[in-house]
Amino acid sequence: MTDPQGRDAILDLLGVLAYGELSAFDRMAADARLAPNLGLRASLAEIAALEINHYAALAQRIRELGGDPVVAMAPFVTAVDTFHRRTEPSTWGEVLVKTFVGDGLAADFYREVALFVDEPTRILVNESLADSESSAFAIEQVQQLISRDATAAARLSLWGRRLVGEAISQSQQVAAERDALAELIIRGTGDLTGVAALIGRITDRHMKRMTEIGLSN
Amino acid sequence: MTDPQGRDAILDLLGVLAYGELSAFDRMAADARLAPNLGLRASLAEIAALEINHYAALAQRIRELGGDPVVAMAPFVTAVDTFHRRTEPSTWGEVLVKTFVGDGLAADFYREVALFVDEPTRILVNESLADSESSAFAIEQVQQLISRDATAAARLSLWGRRLVGEAISQSQQVAAERDALAELIIRGTGDLTGVAALIGRITDRHMKRMTEIGLSN
């Protein structure tokens, strides 16, 4: 972490992760109102609260590196907000699939970046990964929903494709605009086509997860 | 806790507190979007997350007593939702004052009930009380706001009166409908006019707090 360019890239990375967690919290808290009953609403609220703990840890790491969380997050607000605006759930099933898909994509991205960040950041990234409660809850609920309603699987599969499509589109936008971050990922993945390769691996794992819970790609 | 009536009353009490925390989370998460910048938005989101930790602890205690959190909360949904619908903040200053006033009223109510509940419930109530971070944040922010804008104090004082008025109105509604809970409070406060006396003490402390941060009653 001695070269300023490397530090800038890490601050970019922490910034996008931090704003991702903050806005995930925000959206999940709002989406919890679509829950069919108080118990499920409370479960989603508890998962949303986990995102804030991740946010707080990421913001803390930004400060340790001499950065300001607000400044670090600012470049990513438009892309993340656009993703959420274009993928606003209108049913409880869509909320669950968004939680599951979003969680899975985020976990894969954390796993990828953990390979090429400094040690304290890696520890933090792995801690964020350890919370898999939200996935377990969403998987169980989606499976129940599909088993009760045969048409739900087709609709939610379509929704899953839309979610991953929007996520890729916004990620490419960010990579195109943030040179230091793109450079970090390209160097980290050791590949000339680093960003594209990373998105490819994350998409593959997303498709496997969709199949596993009974949704098609 | 051997008489079923006493247990019902405690479940009522835990139910109203649990739904209060769950809906406070919900509203604060939504209100965070009125923040003038990302840093303040993140601060309010972190406070909202604390409410969910309280909710989780209260729900756990309900289960320990053989109750179901959803069933215990159900009778209080209308009153609490009505309170929030009638006190929806439209500015960041109103969000801060609602956080400060709501927090203060809740803390006073927790302090009152701690005097007459069983030991495990009392420990839980005192733990919920220990989180005073939200008040510290809101006080500091309200004071900054008043110092920058002389007209804000008058508008926010009016808002504070409306908040406490709606809170009292909904509390009286709940007390009139929930005999066991009202009886618990009357017996607990050892006063024939128990509920009214309790509301009176809470209102007094609210007025002192308003004066302390530079708002009038």
Side-chain angles (χ1 to χ4, degrees):
Chain A
M1 269 323 92
T2 47
D3 66 311
Q5 220 194 334
R7 182 178 157 278
D8 283 356
I10 290 287
L11 285 177
D12 256 18
L13 182 65
L14 292 168
V16 71
L17 295 177
Y19 191 69
E21 297 284 1
L22 181 58
S23 63
F25 160 79
D26 207 73
R27 300 303 163 136
M28 286 169 77
D31 293 349
R33 295 183 203 173
L34 289 171
N37 62 55
L38 260 180
L40 292 175
R41 179 175 150 199
S43 297
L44 199 69
E46 291 186 61
I47 294 168
L50 282 181
E51 316 279 348
I52 277 299
N53 296 336
H54 296 167
Y55 163 79
L58 291 161
Q60 181 52 33
R61 181 74 194 131
I62 291 171
R63 284 186 209 101
E64 281 166 15
L65 291 171
D68 174 339
V70 172
V71 173
M73 290 190 287
F76 308 104
V77 169
T78 304
V80 175
D81 284 359
T82 301
F83 168 76
H84 285 298
R85 202 176 51 247
R86 291 193 186 158
T87 59
E88 204 160 316
S90 57
T91 65
W92 178 238
E94 290 183 355
V95 170
L96 293 171
V97 172
K98 186 170 176 179
T99 301
F100 168 70
V101 167
D103 220 68
L105 293 176
D108 284 341
F109 186 66
Y110 274 105
R111 222 172 261 122
E112 291 276 350
V113 301
L115 300 175
F116 51 78
V117 293
D118 58 292
E119 186 61 23
T121 305
R122 177 160 39 246
I123 291 169
L124 174 63
V125 162
N126 286 329
E127 279 168 2
S128 299
L129 260 173
D131 287 312
S132 54
E133 293 176 47
S134 54
S135 278
F137 167 78
I139 290 172
E140 188 203 314
Q141 292 293 318
V142 169
Q143 286 176 329
Q144 275 186 28
L145 216 134
I146 296 174
S147 70
R148 280 197 306 267
D149 174 5
T151 66
R155 274 183 290 112
L156 292 176
S157 297
L158 202 66
W159 173 246
R161 285 200 287 283
R162 188 161 135 209
L163 288 170
V164 81
E166 287 293 346
I168 289 172
S169 152
Q170 295 307 320
S171 305
Q172 284 172 328
Q173 191 74 26
V174 164
E177 283 171 11
R178 303 300 294 179
D179 289 344
L181 180 59
E183 176 66 24
L184 175 76
I185 294 173
I186 292 170
R187 265 191 297 148
T189 54
D191 200 338
L192 263 178
T193 53
V195 177
L198 182 145
I199 289 177
R201 285 193 298 279
I202 289 180
T203 310
D204 281 349
R205 282 188 222 119
H206 159 77
M207 293 198 293
K208 284 203 187 83
R209 276 193 303 271
M210 292 292 274
T211 308
E212 269 167 30
I213 65 161
L215 296 174
S216 59
N217 287 292
Chain B
M1 267 326 90
T2 47
D3 66 310
Q5 219 195 333
R7 182 179 157 277
D8 284 356
I10 290 286
L11 285 176
D12 255 18
L13 181 65
L14 292 168
V16 71
L17 296 177
Y19 191 68
E21 297 284 1
L22 182 58
S23 63
F25 159 79
D26 207 73
R27 299 305 162 136
M28 286 170 77
D31 293 349
R33 295 183 203 173
L34 289 172
N37 62 55
L38 260 181
L40 292 175
R41 179 176 150 197
S43 297
L44 198 69
E46 290 186 63
I47 294 167
L50 282 181
E51 316 279 347
I52 277 298
N53 296 337
H54 296 166
Y55 163 79
L58 291 161
Q60 181 52 32
R61 181 73 194 130
I62 290 170
R63 285 187 209 101
E64 280 166 15
L65 291 171
D68 174 338
V70 172
V71 173
M73 291 190 288
F76 307 104
V77 169
T78 304
V80 175
D81 284 359
T82 302
F83 168 75
H84 285 297
R85 203 175 52 246
R86 291 193 186 157
T87 59
E88 205 160 316
S90 57
T91 64
W92 178 238
E94 289 183 357
V95 170
L96 292 171
V97 172
K98 186 169 176 180
T99 301
F100 168 70
V101 167
D103 220 67
L105 293 176
D108 283 340
F109 186 67
Y110 275 105
R111 221 171 262 122
E112 291 276 348
V113 301
L115 300 175
F116 52 78
V117 293
D118 58 294
E119 186 62 22
T121 306
R122 177 160 37 246
I123 291 168
L124 175 63
V125 162
N126 286 329
E127 280 168 2
S128 299
L129 259 172
D131 287 312
S132 54
E133 295 177 44
S134 54
S135 278
F137 168 78
I139 290 172
E140 188 203 315
Q141 293 293 319
V142 168
Q143 287 177 329
Q144 274 186 28
L145 217 133
I146 295 174
S147 70
R148 280 196 308 266
D149 174 5
T151 66
R155 274 184 290 111
L156 293 176
S157 297
L158 200 67
W159 174 246
R161 285 200 286 284
R162 189 161 133 208
L163 289 170
V164 80
E166 287 293 347
I168 290 172
S169 152
Q170 295 307 321
S171 304
Q172 284 173 328
Q173 191 74 24
V174 164
E177 283 172 10
R178 304 299 295 179
D179 288 344
L181 180 58
E183 176 66 23
L184 176 76
I185 295 173
I186 292 169
R187 265 192 296 148
T189 53
D191 200 339
L192 263 178
T193 53
V195 177
L198 183 145
I199 290 177
R201 285 192 298 278
I202 289 180
T203 310
D204 280 349
R205 281 188 222 118
H206 159 77
M207 293 198 293
K208 283 203 188 84
R209 276 193 303 271
M210 291 291 275
T211 308
E212 270 167 29
I213 65 162
L215 297 174
S216 59
N217 287 291

